[in-house]
Amino acid sequence: MSSRRPSPGSRRGASRVGRLLQEGAPGGRLLRLCARLARRPLLPVIRLWRRNIQLRVVAATVLMSLGVVLLLGFVVIGQVANGLLDAKEDAALSQAAGGFAVAQEKANTASVADGADATAVDSKIGRDASTWMNSLVWQLASGGQSAFEVVALGAGTGEKGSGVRGARASGDVDPAASIPPALRRSVDHTAGTFQTFAKIRYTTSGKAPEPALVVGKRLTDINGGPYDLYYLFPLDQEEESLNLVKSTIATAGLFVVVLLSAIAWLVVRQIVTPVRMAAGIAERLSAGKLQERMKVTGEDDIARLGEAFNKMAQNLQNKIQQLEDLSRMQRRFVSDVSHELRTPLTTVRMAADVIHDARVDFDPVTARSAELLAGQLDRFETLLADLLEISRFDAGAAALEAEPIDLRDVVRRVIDGAEPLAERKGTRIRVLGDSQPVVAEADARRVERVLRNLVVNAVEHGEGRDVVVRLASAGGAVAVAVRDYGVGLKPGEATRVFNRFWRADPARARTTGGTGLGLSIAVEDARLHGGWLQAWGEPGGGSQFRLTPVSFSTTPGPHSAGG
């Protein structure tokens, strides 16, 4: 068998010709082209995601484990932060309560010496109260060892005897900016201890503010005047502890995610690898390499799957071998019978011709019988020739005798041969796209046989309507389409119409004496050229057959017929 493989350029050209024949003008394809161009960058990623189950499982494991780690991290960090703050608040309140008690005790036990007159007493009271307050702040702050700072603010009520009106603070703390106004109002107007979270701000430039727990209470000084005393407990250690917990959880979470991903990859790999091996072997089996088998190790489920696959492949190989032997026997039987029938058929033909020539001397019944005998012998010879041709295709012995031809000449010969049938049916055969040469390197006999089958079938099933034969060429390929507007094809018949001896309507009589093998031989002739024969249609809307012999176009330049 000699056939030629179609080149990529010829296939692209044939595809373009087919679209021209089927769709006509290219206006409706612009939107689809833009959509394909927009999807093109994402196609490799989408294709990899769809085809790689291992990637999908690992990605799902990563996402789910990452979600679990984040959820647990938020819960743990929240619990740790609440625990640190609660512990800090308890310790701070205890420390501040002790400091408030000490401060009030110092104020109660202190005394102011008597003066000579009221003016001297008032002046001495102011000096002693200020000195006492400075000393109090320094003493209270020195006991904290940088664990807290102390701020004293004058009540500012203007009451007589209040000698403390300025703000005093330890550790370069800015008292006005560090004590929240809401806390000051609570301490000024309500008895008791109050606390809140704020930021300690310093008078020293370059020292950044830091979070702190501020505890305040209204007290009285040595003169009985009110003032506000605040303890500021920095939260830098708690913040460092919380950051350490965060970094630990983040590191541990990342390690867990990576570890779970690796585990998922290894587990899925153990399952996917045999499946991929089976898929590869199945592809090689489908390509005809029936000796391929899976390598089976172990006794687990995957091993049992491999053994079952190998048994299936062995049974499949045996069945295919049996079918090949049976098909070989059938092809040989058809070939032998066809050859053996030729000798008696030749003898019967000679006798039938003698009887047919002498039918004028017979009575009408005998003369009609002689005509029927000659007609059936013609059909028998056609059927025998088709069977021999089919047996050649089945045996791979069909030969292609290609030469440069103009398809317009082939179409004209086919139409001339179909004119008598078209006249009886009342059908007009029109040819489109024959204004320019359509030159191709092809087997003229086989192409003519294909087109004859298509045109005769179109006339026979065209219900007396026009039959259109359209030629087109583009991109180094040619195509011929035959269109009728008759009974058409029902859904599913477009693929079955090329089956041997298949008829769309078994009750419909053959007016041309067909054998039922014409379209089967036609599709084999198209494949022998490296092309294809396609069909489509609809009930009541006619049908169209398109011959696209891809591999043999020698047209010098593209041209096309209008749709």
Side-chain angles (χ1 to χ4, degrees), residues 66-85:
L66 184 61
V68 171
V69 168
L70 290 176
L71 180 61
L72 290 178
F74 283 130
V75 173
V76 171
I77 290 174
Q79 293 293 331
V80 171
N82 292 334
L84 290 175
L85 292 178

Side-chain angles (χ1 to χ4, degrees), residues 130 133-134 151-156 162-169 175 227-228:
S130 299
M133 184 62 67
N134 292 333
V151 173
L153 298 178
S162 177
V164 182
R165 297 183 180 274
R168 294 164 179 80
Y227 73 98
D228 300 336

Side-chain angles (χ1 to χ4, degrees), residues 52-59 264-266 268-269 272-273 276:
N52 197 325
I53 187 174
Q54 189 172 4
L55 174 62
R56 295 201 301 270
V57 172
V58 173
W265 184 81
L266 291 175
V268 176
R269 180 181 176 84
V272 170
T273 299
R276 290 178 177 173

Side-chain angles (χ1 to χ4, degrees), residues 270-290:
Q270 293 180 355
I271 301 176
V272 170
T273 299
V275 174
R276 290 178 177 173
M277 184 186 302
I281 293 176
E283 291 177 355
R284 290 192 289 273
L285 287 174
S286 63
K289 300 179 181 179
L290 302 179

Side-chain angles (χ1 to χ4, degrees), residues 88-98 193-195 213 215 233:
K88 183 68 175 180
E89 188 173 359
D90 293 340
L93 290 176
S94 177
Q95 183 72 33
T193 303
F194 299 90
Q195 72 273 356
L213 174 63
V215 181
F233 297 90

Side-chain angles (χ1 to χ4, degrees), residues 519-530:
L519 290 179
S520 300
I521 296 175
V523 74
E524 293 294 342
D525 282 331
R527 291 170 182 170
L528 188 62
H529 284 93

Side-chain angles (χ1 to χ4, degrees), residues 35 303 349 385 476:
R349 165 58 68 183

Side-chain angles (χ1 to χ4, degrees), residues 414-433:
V414 170
I415 293 177
D416 291 341
E419 277 298 336
L421 176 63
E423 291 177 358
R424 291 197 303 270
K425 290 286 187 177
T427 300
R428 184 181 61 164
I429 303 177
R430 296 187 294 122
V431 181
L432 302 177

